[in-house]
Structure formats: C-alpha cells, structure tokens
Amino acid sequence: MIQYLENIHHKDSKNFFLIAGPCIIEGEEMALNIAEKIVELSSKYNIPYIFKGSFKKANRSRVDSFTTIGEEKSLEILKKVGQTFDIPTTTDIHENEHAAFAAQYVDVLQIPAFLVRQTDLLIAAAKTGKCVSLKKGQFLSPESMQFAVQKVNDSGNPKTAIIERGNSFGYTDLVVDFRGIPTMRNYAPVILDVTHSLQQPNQSSGVTGGRPELIETIAKAGIAVGADGLFIETHPDPSCALSDGANMLRLDKLEDLLQKLTRVREAIL
C-alpha cells in the first residue's frame, strides 16, 4: 500500500511502516501535538508513517458514548495534520456516503472490522481511488480476507492492505492468531493492529476494557512473524481519552517501543 502514497517518507528504509494516532480526533491542538511527536520519532528511526484519527465513531457500546466533535471539523483537522507535516493520513468510514466525503481530506480509507463484508461500502471506498485498508473481522478466518481484497481489486483499485486485529475469544476477549499474518500476506500487505488486538469488548459496564501492558509483547511478535506494518493508537493520557483509552499506548512510551521494534525488524531481515 505505501508504494502508492507519494507523501510518505522513509519508504526505502526496509523498516516496518506505522499507522498511529489517537483513536478519535478530540481537537486540533491535540492532533497536531501527537503528529509532531510521532513524525519526530519516525524520522529518527526511519519508519514510514501514516497519521490515524477517526472523524466519527459509529460502533459504540452505549448510546451516550462519545462519537465526534463534528464530522467535517474532524476531517479538516486530519487534512491540516497531513499538510502541516507532509504525511499521509487515514480515517475509518462507516457508510457508503462517507467514502467520497472523507476521500476529500485523507489519503487512506479504513474499513472497520465489523463492516468488512459490506460489499457496497468496499466498492464505494475503492471507487475513490484512495488506498483502502481492510480490517479483518473478529469473526473471519485469515483465508476469507482474500475475498474482501478481491472486491476492492475488482472495483479497479489495487491499493489495498489488510489489518489484523484479533479474533473473538469467548464473549469478552480477543486473541491474535499469528499464523494468519503470513497467510494474508499472500493477498495484500498486512498490518497488525496492536492496540485493538488487546481490547476486551462487551464488558458489563458497557465500556470496552483492554490489556495495554501487553502492547510490546504483541508488537514484537507481529514484527517477528513478518507483519509489513503496525497500527498503534496513542494518546498523551489514555485515562482521559474520549474513546478506547483502556487499550491505548501512552505517547511518552512510544519511543522506547519503536526503538525495540526496529531492532527486531533488523534482526529478521
């Protein structure tokens, strides 16, 4: 996927690429501050970098869960981040109409895991000509993702990638089957969504839990088995985040993690 992004840096570094940012856009200052820090780190460790932020959260546990500061406002912030730091940006879309709307502001359209079998949504994303990242459903096998990729390809768009984010394990947990990463690499580049793989959904409170203490473990394993990229949600203070704070990485812990992961990557090349 990254070969199609003209504004991505360190493309020839042979390092893994990184999709990172807050779960949701909470404001312009916060988004710019997070992006600035990660751009600095990506330059230091020669990591191709895509900034991520949701402009709207549609899949929420409760009706009173936070969804957006404003759809267009959030997309304008994503656009400003991209222009300020000359980096590609990505956001997730949930409805067919979101595809063309969001494509005016970002470089990569992300299809959420629960919607990856929605044919019309995949076609709408493909038709924008933007790169399309497909999150593997928690209910799908690695082999079944070839058909999601084929839907985008058959719509005339070869710019795809697959995001692994774990499989449902019982009612309240997720488990990553690392055998799926080499399998899915036969269909498209594979990105391991480290932080969402550590979610513990459907908790009794209606608020998703998480195991952020395992971020380093999951990330190292992903790089070791050949993941092309990593997806990490990060926030200056996850305890105050408006969405998914329970499984996000503290921003001040990101450098130590990237330094270790870069060494793992070097060891397997």
Side-chain angles (χ1 to χ4, degrees):
M1 179 178 72
I2 65 170
Q3 69 267 29
Y4 297 106
L5 296 170
E6 295 181 0
N7 55 339
I8 196 163
H9 305 282
H10 317 295
K11 191 183 296 187
D12 300 323
S13 69
K14 296 184 180 181
N15 210 342
F16 61 89
F17 65 92
L18 177 67
I19 299 175
C23 176
I24 192 166
I25 297 298
E26 299 180 11
E28 181 177 307
E29 183 178 4
M30 185 201 75
L32 289 169
N33 288 342
I34 292 175
E36 182 178 27
K37 178 61 176 178
I38 305 177
V39 166
E40 174 189 324
L41 296 177
S42 66
S43 295
K44 183 175 181 178
Y45 296 104
N46 293 315
I47 299 171
Y49 172 52
I50 301 168
F51 179 85
K52 180 268 170 185
S54 295
F55 78 99
K56 180 179 182 178
K57 302 300 290 186
N59 176 26
R60 311 300 288 144
S61 298
R62 304 189 319 205
V63 72
D64 60 346
S65 296
F66 180 79
T67 57
T68 183
I69 60 171
E71 295 180 12
E72 190 166 3
K73 181 179 180 180
S74 297
L75 288 168
E76 288 285 1
I77 291 171
L78 281 162
K79 183 177 181 179
K80 184 169 183 178
V81 168
Q83 292 176 337
T84 300
F85 300 104
D86 187 29
I87 55 173
T89 58
T90 184
T91 196
D92 41 333
I93 60 173
H94 310 90
E95 302 172 14
N96 299 352
E97 295 74 17
H98 285 169
F101 178 42
Q104 300 174 72
Y105 300 90
V106 300
D107 305 278
V108 182
L109 299 177
Q110 177 186 296
I111 306 299
F114 284 123
L115 301 177
V116 76
R117 283 181 54 88
Q118 296 297 106
T119 301
D120 287 348
L121 181 61
L122 269 61
I123 292 173
K127 292 295 186 183
T128 66
K130 297 289 185 175
C131 293
V132 180
S133 59
L134 303 160
K135 281 207 169 186
K136 181 175 74 63
Q138 300 92 322
F139 46 89
L140 293 176
S141 69
E143 291 80 4
S144 64
M145 285 303 295
Q146 65 184 294
F147 304 112
V149 171
Q150 195 62 47
K151 288 177 183 179
V152 179
N153 291 345
D154 288 347
S155 301
N157 188 338
K159 308 173 188 177
T160 56
I162 299 170
I163 300 178
E164 165 64 59
R165 52 118 344 123
N167 279 78
S168 296
F169 186 77
Y171 291 113
T172 59
D173 209 355
L174 295 168
V175 171
V176 176
D177 181 354
F178 288 97
R179 297 173 300 177
I181 290 177
T183 296
M184 292 186 292
R185 290 187 78 224
N186 291 316
Y187 319 133
V190 176
I191 303 151
L192 175 60
D193 183 342
V194 178
T195 46
H196 285 111
S197 293
L198 292 168
Q199 280 185 333
Q200 294 181 311
N202 305 320
Q203 300 299 300
S204 59
S205 64
V207 177
T208 296
R211 298 287 305 278
E213 71 275 12
L214 293 175
I215 287 174
E216 182 177 323
T217 300
I218 294 292
K220 284 179 176 177
I223 295 299
V225 300
D228 299 283
L230 295 179
F231 181 113
I232 299 173
E233 288 188 339
T234 183
H235 191 282
D237 184 358
S239 67
C240 298
L242 298 180
S243 177
D244 282 2
N247 53 268
M248 278 201 278
L249 178 71
R250 280 187 64 96
L251 185 59
D252 59 8
K253 294 183 177 182
L254 183 59
E255 179 168 14
D256 180 65
L257 178 63
L258 294 180
Q259 185 180 49
K260 292 175 180 176
L261 296 176
T262 297
R263 292 204 299 267
V264 175
R265 177 73 170 192
E266 291 171 350
I268 66 170
L269 289 179

